[in-house]
Amino acid sequence: MVEVTVTPQSSLADRPVQIRVRGLSASQLVTLRAWLKDEQGECFQSRAFFRADGAGEVNPGLQAALGGSYSGVWPMGLFWFLQPDSLFRRLVKRDVAGSPFRVRLEVLDGLSLGTDAKEQLLASCEAERWYVGPGVQRAPVREGRVRGALFLPP
């Protein structure tokens, strides 16, 4: 049984996570895809192609992506290379304190470019990426022409 995990499952957006896929066949080609919907419902996604090691595992922190949204060893590449499905969109988090981005991670059999309706989903999981830690207070700043927010630690 194929399993994909993200550790920790819930974390601050600037903290690294570890992605692991287990239960594959030795040397199996797979596509790891990450996607999320922003607060306006726009979809952002990235994908990377990997060949499982001899134990049937994929670890993007140690293994090089063979292609897709990026190539090479990028432990956080699936998060850093998220691109919009529509042109001229940016990934922006407006409600930084109220909710996280929920990033869906999927493992697909073979090399998937997202154009085939018959993609075979092998496993999936979800990661929460928060922009404000627990107990942090947000204070609006309005001084002259300066506008902003001050985030105060607990």
Side-chain angles (χ1 to χ4, degrees):
M1 183 173 105
V2 178
E3 175 187 35
V4 60
T5 58
V6 178
T7 308
Q9 184 269 332
S10 183
S11 64
L12 291 173
D14 63 346
R15 301 283 189 236
V17 296
Q18 184 178 42
I19 301 169
R20 299 287 297 269
V21 181
R22 295 181 177 93
L24 299 169
S25 302
S27 300
Q28 181 176 353
L29 284 171
V30 293
T31 300
L32 268 62
R33 178 172 60 191
W35 64 272
L36 64 84
K37 287 197 176 187
D38 70 3
E39 294 157 330
Q40 284 75 44
E42 186 67 36
C43 188
F44 291 77
Q45 64 178 314
S46 64
R47 66 187 66 234
F49 311 132
F50 290 92
R51 183 177 299 280
D53 62 15
E57 296 185 1
V58 171
N59 181 346
L62 300 175
Q63 293 169 260
L66 305 173
S69 301
Y70 66 95
S71 59
V73 179
W74 291 81
M76 295 294 295
L78 288 169
F79 294 93
W80 292 341
F81 291 96
L82 287 165
Q83 294 294 316
D85 284 354
S86 302
L87 295 175
F88 309 114
R89 298 289 187 169
R90 288 186 331 156
L91 184 58
V92 176
K93 183 72 170 133
R94 303 227 185 272
D95 179 18
V96 294
S99 64
F101 271 140
R102 297 189 195 301
V103 182
R104 188 86 177 154
L105 295 165
E106 299 174 339
V107 181
L108 304 166
D109 190 27
L111 304 180
S112 170
L113 297 174
T115 57
D116 186 5
K118 299 179 191 172
E119 294 175 336
Q120 185 178 359
L121 180 66
L122 300 176
S124 65
C125 70
E126 188 172 85
E128 291 181 347
R129 304 294 281 170
W130 290 89
Y131 283 79
V132 176
V136 172
Q137 294 179 352
R138 181 182 190 272
V141 175
R142 297 177 68 87
E143 184 67 36
R145 295 184 339 192
V146 174
R147 300 290 181 266
L150 173 64
F151 292 89
L152 300 167

